[in-house]
Each structure stands twice: as C-alpha cells, then as structure tokens.
Amino acid sequence: MAHTLTTTPAQDGFWMPGEFEPHAGCWMLWPERPDNWREGAQPAQRAFAEVARAIAQFEPVTVGVSARLYEFARALLPESVRVVEMSSNDCWMRDVGPTFVVNARGQVRGVDWRFNAWGGLDGGLYFPWDQDELVARKVLEIEGRERYAAPFVNEGGAIHVDGEGTLLVTEQCNLNRNRNPHLTREKIEELLKAYLGVTTIVWLGDGVYNDETDGHVDNLVCFARPGEVCLTWTDDRRDPQYRISRDAYERLMDARDARGRRFKVHRLPMPGPLYMTAEEARGVCAREGTKPRRAGERLAASYVNFYIANGGIVVPLLDPRTDRAALAKLRRIFPERRVVGVPAREILLGGGNIHCITQQVPAAGIRRSRELRSSSRPTPTKRRTARPAR
Ligand code: KQY
C-alpha cells in the first residue's frame, strides 16, 4: 500500500522539480466518455495514442484504461507503452494524477490533491468525479511511492514550478470560489508552499480566454528552464486574449523568481482563434451533468500546452497557419531537445491539450542541491526581454 504521510513535503525537505528535469517516465489515461469526446471518443483515442507514441521515443509511458477498453487501447498503443487497467471519470492525468516531489537524497514521493472536476457543483465540468479522485492514489501504489494527501482542491494543470523555489499560478483558477471557498489567498499560498516546497509564488491574472478549467496556468505560461518562461501571445488587440497575455507579460516582467532573477519571457504565437464546428459538436452525446459542447464555441487553443520529455518536446499541432512558426520558435528555445509536433485538435475539443493529459514521474536517485533552492537573497540581473510596444 502507498503509505500516507501526515507531514507536508516542505516539512520533510521535498519539493516539486521542474518538468525539464530528468524523468523516470510519463503517465496518461485513455479517453472514453461520449459526453465529452465526439464519435464515441474514437478520434480522441487515436490522438492520445499518437501522443503516447511520441513521448515513448523519449521515456517510458504508462496508460491507464478502463476494463471495457483495455483490449482496444492495448491494440492501438505501441508495444513499448505499458497499459494498466484503471478506472477514471475522464482522462486528464495532469489534474487527477499525483504531483511528484523529490528530496536532496534523490527520493521521490507524490502529492494527492483533492479534485472536484474543475469546480464541483459550482461550474464544474461533470458529475460524479469519484473515480478521478482515486487515480493519484492508484498511480502512487503502482509506482511504489509514499503519498501526501493535500487537504485542499488543486490540479496539476494549475501549477508550474522551476524546481528552484518558484511557482506560477493564476488568480482566476487558484483563487476561484469554486475550488477552496473557505480559504483566504494567504492560506492558499501557505498550503501551496507546504505541498510544493516553493518559497516564491508569482500570481498571474486570468488564464487563456474561454479555458473551461477557469484559467489553468499550464495553457498560458510554462517554464522552459529556471528563469525562462513561454507565454501564449497574440498581437491582435481586438482579441480578448490580448489583454490577458499582456497582463501576464507585465506581471512576469515585474516579478522576481525565488533566486531573485528576472524572467526571460518567450512569446509563442497563439493558434486561431479556433472554434468548434457544427459537425464536431454533433458528434458529442450531450448528457445532463456534463458541460455541453456547442458549435461556434471558442476553443482554448495554446501551444504552451506542450510536454517536456527527456530530450524532447511534444507539441500540439493546432492550426496550419501557425504550427510552423510555433515549432520553429520552440526549436530556438529548446536547442538541446528534439521538438515533435502531434496533431491535437481532437484533444483540444475535449477541453485541454498534451500537457493536460500527461504527468511526468521524476527520475529517482538524483542528488539535488537543497541549499541553492532555499536561497532567498535576490541577485538582481538585467532585464533580458524588451516590453512590447503598447
Ligand atoms: O488544463 C488541463 N490541465 C486539463 C483540462 C481539462 C479539461 C476538461 N474537459
């Protein structure tokens, strides 16, 4: 049994490492529910299989799948991918899986957040979510890792860390009244510090326009490495995303990370705007209690929702008009990794993307320096990116 600890990661000297640090592997779940995925989820299953295949070039992948679809998934997924039977209500491993933490001795443990389907009965996306609630625990059992049961609602897509003490979050999501209405901002900060082992929290405002997660940070901004972030960006001032990205840019430029550095901000072009077509919406079986899919609805498309694997970047391909520019930019940001694009519109139609359906397991046995992480004395550096003209 995955032993449940009564302390917090910070008390025990554990912290969440950056996604760009070495991984032991990656976990995913298999899409199935016809009230979220069109055509009985078959186009989405093919897209998930391609994501698993792309990541498996770089690191071991495990996919959890229901008993009903085990054989089908096994047949579609490459042999190198491990397939295990696992119940879930949907397939967003980033949010329902554990967030792994490490210590200076190279030990790995997992944080099991409370989950309420992105808002519970106050704007959440489906009911019930009882099987999703058990996924993190099951993954930790299979991984043989001890578990911290966090006493508050959080999702893996709502946090990004640099592994050196800095956390990025959005006010729209992490302070939303449908997550932890009984907690103040100060208390939420205290809990995030305790469960992620961070010392500095950078608050952004809203997430990507019309993002049904209430603005997960992982669709808006992510770390490329300590001190450097990628931000989804549009130059179109008439687009509602402009104000959001501009505000995030300004907050990032004004912020200092846990080591006192200013951020270098890489602006990634935004796809689209993209909308759900009538045919796509028709393919979803509407069901009471699940967010309906409507033709003409704007999709929260973002290239920032990529996955960083060992030696690779797996990026959603979303729009032939912008894919090439996004890939080229990512190749410049990550010259040390192979950048691979995977067609991802079918994943986007379900409300998220490649980062949302994956969860990395950090490599164990790597000795990491804790002293450097806890340094709180700022060492100012010169601003490295000019502000865009207003
Ligand atoms: O952004 C994510 N991490 C998850 C997206 C979930 C969408 C649910 N329909």
Side-chain angles (χ1 to χ4, degrees), residues 36-37 90 92 94-95 118 125-126 155-158 211-213 216 218-219 291 293 305 349-353 355-357:
N36 191 49
W37 301 101
D90 203 357
W92 305 96
R94 177 66 51 188
D95 296 342
W118 309 276
L125 300 180
Y126 51 73
E155 296 114 34
D211 186 329
E212 65 191 33
T213 63
H216 270 184
D218 74 343
N219 216 18
K291 178 187 154 60
R293 299 284 172 207
N305 211 297
L349 294 176
N353 228 298
H355 194 256
C356 310
I357 64 169

Side-chain angles (χ1 to χ4, degrees), residues 197-208:
V198 295
T199 52
T200 300
I201 301 180
V202 177
W203 286 97
L204 304 172
D206 288 348
V208 166

